[in-house]
Amino acid sequence: MNVDEKILNLLERSNYKTPYFLFSTEKILKEYNSFKSNFPRATICYALKANSEKSILETLFKVGASFEVASKYELDMLKEIKVPPEKIIFGTSVKSATRIKSFCDYGVDRFAFDSLSELEKISEITPGSKVFCRVIVNDSGSVYRFSEKFGTDKKNVVYLLDHARDLKLQPYGISFHVGSQASNMMAWADALEGLHDVILNLEKIGIKLDMIDLGGGYPCNSYASSNQELTIKDIAKSVIKVYKS
C-alpha cells in the first residue's frame, strides 16, 4: 500500500465533518530526501510560505533541513522549535528596519537584497552580515510570476555586491526565482547559465560567491501545461550540468 492509499483509507475511517489538513510525515520526508539526493551538494532550505504548520517544520528540522523565512512571524515559529540562526536565511529582498533588527538579534546573518537602499539599511542595522542579491530571471513559463515584484536586473549585480563590500558587508551570493509552478524543465538551468558572465565579472574584482540560491517553483504536475512530467531528478540534472560547465 503506498502513501496516497494510506491517506485515503484514513480519510474514509475518520469522523471529521469539517475541512481539515492531513499531513503525511512519510511523504514529506520522501520529498525532502528526493531534493537531498538529486542536489547532493546543496543546502535545502524549506520556505515557510509554502506551509508553516508546526508539525511540518519540526519534521524537517529533525532531519537537518534549513529554512527560508520571509517575516518575523515566521521567524518566531522557528524560534519556538529551537531552530538555530545558522539554519535560517532572510530571503525577502525588501524588509523593514525593525524586521532586520529582529533577525539580527536572534543571530541570523544572511539577508537578501535587490537595491542600494536595502543594502545601506542592512549595513546600518547589522554591519558585517552576509548579503545575497536577488536578480530577475525569465519566469514566463510559470503559473505565478515574481519578476515584476522582486529582483534587480543582472546588469546591476556586480555594482551592488561591490558596493556591499564597500559598506563592510560580506558579498555572499546571488538568488533568483523562476516563478511558482514552472512548466519549463530548463528554467533553473537557463537562469543559472545566464548568470555565468556576472559570476566571472565578480571574480575579476575579487568577489567569489559562497552561494547561489536557486529559489523554488518546483512544479506539481497537475499544473503542467504539457504532457511532459517534470521531475526533480531531471531538473537537477540540467542544473548540475550547467554548474559543472
Side-chain angles (χ1 to χ4, degrees):
M1 180 182 295
N2 62 35
V3 173
D4 291 335
E5 289 172 341
K6 290 180 181 178
I7 292 173
L8 288 173
N9 287 339
L10 183 58
L11 286 171
E12 289 172 357
R13 296 198 306 271
S14 71
N15 295 318
Y16 291 105
K17 303 300 181 184
T18 58
Y20 58 90
F21 285 111
L22 180 65
F23 298 105
S24 166
T25 300
E26 184 179 345
K27 196 160 190 177
I28 290 169
L29 294 178
K30 178 182 177 183
E31 294 301 323
Y32 174 76
N33 288 326
S34 176
F35 274 92
K36 287 292 292 181
S37 61
N38 286 296
F39 291 98
R41 297 182 62 186
T43 297
I44 309 301
C45 293
Y46 176 77
L48 269 71
K49 64 185 176 184
N51 193 316
S52 56
E53 173 65 33
K54 184 178 180 181
S55 61
I56 294 177
L57 304 181
E58 289 176 328
T59 296
L60 291 171
F61 178 43
K62 286 177 182 176
V63 293
S66 292
F67 297 89
E68 194 266 356
V69 180
S71 69
K72 182 180 181 298
Y73 175 69
E74 293 178 350
L75 175 64
D76 289 342
M77 293 178 179
L78 297 183
K79 289 167 68 174
E80 184 180 346
I81 62 172
K82 304 293 191 293
V83 175
E86 59 269 21
K87 282 189 165 289
I88 301 171
I89 61 173
F90 199 166
T92 302
S93 53
V94 181
K95 306 166 286 298
S96 70
T98 55
R99 294 294 178 261
I100 295 172
K101 182 67 164 54
S102 296
F103 278 72
C104 175
D105 288 346
Y106 187 59
V108 176
D109 68 348
R110 291 176 292 172
F111 299 88
F113 75 96
D114 63 6
S115 68
L116 186 60
S117 60
E118 188 72 14
L119 260 185
E120 292 173 343
K121 190 194 310 176
I122 294 169
S123 70
E124 290 175 3
I125 300 165
T126 174
S129 61
K130 301 172 183 176
V131 291
F132 54 101
C133 186
R134 172 90 175 244
V135 62
I136 296 170
V137 296
N138 182 10
D139 59 0
S140 59
S142 299
V143 176
Y144 301 103
R145 302 174 63 184
F146 296 144
S147 59
E148 296 178 358
K149 297 172 62 178
F150 305 111
T152 188
D153 191 283
K154 79 169 194 173
K155 68 183 180 183
N156 300 323
V157 174
V158 173
Y159 167 74
L160 287 170
L161 286 173
D162 189 31
H163 190 66
R165 184 168 55 178
D166 292 340
L167 292 171
K168 310 304 181 186
L169 295 167
Q170 298 181 53
Y172 181 64
I174 297 174
S175 70
F176 61 80
H177 200 299
V178 300
S180 288
Q181 299 303 334
S183 59
N184 176 12
M185 184 185 75
M186 296 299 296
W188 295 265
D190 289 345
L192 184 60
E193 189 168 29
L195 292 170
H196 182 67
D197 59 332
V198 174
I199 295 169
L200 290 178
N201 287 331
L202 285 168
E203 290 179 350
K204 288 177 182 178
I205 62 171
I207 295 177
K208 184 173 177 60
L209 300 179
D210 293 310
M211 178 271 283
I212 297 179
D213 183 346
L214 302 179
Y218 304 96
C220 170
N221 284 305
S222 61
Y223 280 87
S225 58
S226 68
N227 292 325
Q228 181 186 19
E229 181 176 340
L230 305 181
T231 68
I232 294 299
K233 182 177 181 179
D234 290 333
I235 292 169
K237 279 184 177 179
S238 65
V239 167
I240 291 170
K241 183 177 180 180
V242 170
Y243 175 78
K244 287 183 176 180
S245 65

